[in-house]
Amino acid sequence: MKKGKVFVISGPSGVGKGTLCHELMRKYPSLAQTTVSVTTRAPRPGETEGKHYYFRSEAEFDKMLKEGLFLETVDKFTHRYGTLFSEVEQVLDGGKNVILEIEMIGGANVKKHIPEAVLIFILPPTLEALTARITGRGSETESEIRLRQAQVEKEFDQAAPYEYFVVNDVLDDAVENVKAIIVAEGLKDALSDVKQNYFGRD
Ligand code: ADP
Ligand code: 5GP
């Protein structure tokens, strides 16, 4: 079976990554699948265990780390986050593309382990729009918002390893652009897929 590819989606907090991925999956369910990460932060209202994250204590996270269960981990905003190998492999083995909605340090680490991973950076139309979105979401405290805003310029400076830049202005346009990237990247393997089918070799 043809294996899927790994796509990393990163961008500043509040830019709309979660919204975009959710809409992409809703519109094109067979295109790709997102994974569920582990985090030590508390669930926000409406977030559920196993759907948005696996919510774990620091000690549990440490244990999983020692057991080698993570493809990558990061400490961010005083919390820890990690992508499980098992989540990624399950999707790839099913022949589907996988979308990792993770921050940039994680993105760079995924690229190190999986060089063929494709890195996509989501940009806000303006800085003002970004501030309005993060404030409007209403899920962080004032000090958490300030912490996240202070990161934005740094994140833009570190975005060079990313290969695609998608502006999330009109949500549906951003969804279509990400879809176009995933489809185009899949076509890069078309010759080898056809040769496998016809001749049983690359
Ligand atoms: P992230 O996952 O990047 O932190 P979210 O997906 O939680 O961001 O989005 C932050 C807020 O911005 C949410 O309230 C969401 O509804 C809103 N949002 C997302 N995309 C758009 C868009 N294209 N236009 C306007 N608001 C948006
Ligand atoms: P939030 O707390 O808003 O859900 O996520 C904060 C940041 O952590 C976001 O940029 C999100 O993409 C990132 N993130 C979520 N899960 C992971 C993960 O498993 N690994 C890494 N590196 N970042 C993650």
Side-chain angles (χ1 to χ4, degrees), residues 9-27:
I9 296 203
S10 304
S13 179
V15 74
K17 301 179 295 293
T19 309
L20 197 161
C21 289
H22 186 264
E23 184 59 14
L24 186 74
M25 301 296 96
R26 191 194 64 77
K27 238 178 137 177

Side-chain angles (χ1 to χ4, degrees), residues 3-9 21 24-25 30-36 71 83-93 95-101 110 114 117-118 120 182:
K3 258 203 161 192
K5 268 195 167 187
V6 176
F7 294 84
V8 171
I9 296 203
C21 289
L24 186 74
M25 301 296 96
S30 61
L31 183 70
Q33 203 171 309
T34 50
T35 58
V36 180
L71 166 62
T83 306
L84 291 166
F85 277 115
S86 55
E87 288 275 315
V88 177
E89 281 161 5
Q90 195 189 325
V91 180
L92 294 181
D93 291 347
K96 254 189 169 180
N97 295 307
V98 62
I99 293 184
L100 304 179
E101 192 224 303
V110 168
I114 311 172
V118 179
I120 304 172
I182 296 176

Side-chain angles (χ1 to χ4, degrees), residues 59-78:
E60 287 167 333
F61 194 101
D62 266 337
K63 185 167 175 279
M64 295 170 92
L65 187 61
K66 284 203 189 94
E67 286 168 355
L69 303 188
F70 290 116
L71 166 62
E72 62 80 34
T73 63
V74 77
D75 291 7
K76 200 172 158 96
F77 307 136
T78 72

